[in-house]
Amino acid sequence: MASANKVRQYLAYWFQLGKKVFTGNGQESLLPVPVLKGDHYSRQFEECWQIITSPESGDCYLEGTSETIAQLLTPEWEIIQCARCPMPLPVRTVGMPAESCPCHDLRNWPNTEIPMPRAPVSSQKHLNSIRQRLLRTHSQEEKNEENAAGSKNPPAVVIPLDFPLCHLACHSHQIGSDRLAAH
């Protein structure tokens, strides 16, 4: 089932590419600008969402699609990623899939030269997560350096003086303790 949040995100992504939502059985169109405001949806988007989900608005659907927003909010539908572009696409969980992705009528799409539509992002949360990763990495590097410093000067190997002499089959003579280091 497509949750209300997934449907909101689906609409927000397509609004960012200029797709409109038709309301009142196709009588009016809505395109909030801007869609995002910092780490949340804009006031214009929120007002648009209220109109779309209001029963008085009649059937509402995204430009280039045939399924209504009310249908997308039922258990029959799920929002996945389009196989052609990285945009959200509604698919039926039961029965026939949607006729096509809303990207089918966008010229020059997908376009990797422009910023991709996105969901709201909390800059503060994102920066804090980067900071935490850096702190963990720095802490791990310090531990690695401490371990490496300890292994640079490993404890000396003590060879007892009464260590038996090596008797190699390839040598006809014994290697004395004075030549052991050269061996």
Side-chain angles (χ1 to χ4, degrees), residues 2-107:
S3 69
N5 282 339
K6 286 283 190 184
V7 174
R8 283 166 49 100
Q9 187 177 30
Y10 160 77
L11 291 175
Y13 273 56
W14 290 107
F15 284 153
Q16 290 173 64
L17 289 179
K19 289 276 190 174
K20 301 173 188 161
V21 164
F22 293 103
T23 63
N25 304 319
Q27 300 297 319
E28 294 180 47
S29 66
L30 302 172
L31 179 60
V33 176
V35 176
L36 305 176
K37 177 121 173 113
D39 63 347
H40 57 279
Y41 293 115
S42 69
R43 179 184 49 79
Q44 294 88 334
F45 176 84
E46 294 295 350
E47 290 171 0
C48 183
W49 177 251
Q50 292 304 315
I51 293 168
I52 291 168
T53 56
S54 170
E56 294 83 41
S57 296
D59 287 341
C60 301
Y61 55 93
L62 184 66
E63 179 181 8
T65 66
S66 58
E67 56 278 353
T68 67
I69 305 305
Q71 287 173 319
L72 296 182
L73 292 167
T74 67
E76 288 181 30
W77 291 87
E78 185 177 338
I79 306 291
I80 64 167
Q81 183 176 332
C82 173
R84 180 174 173 243
C85 67
M87 295 292 285
L89 169 70
V91 293
R92 279 194 152 167
T93 56
V94 178
M96 296 298 293
E99 291 176 22
S100 62
C101 176
C103 72
H104 77 280
D105 62 353
L106 288 176
R107 293 176 41 128

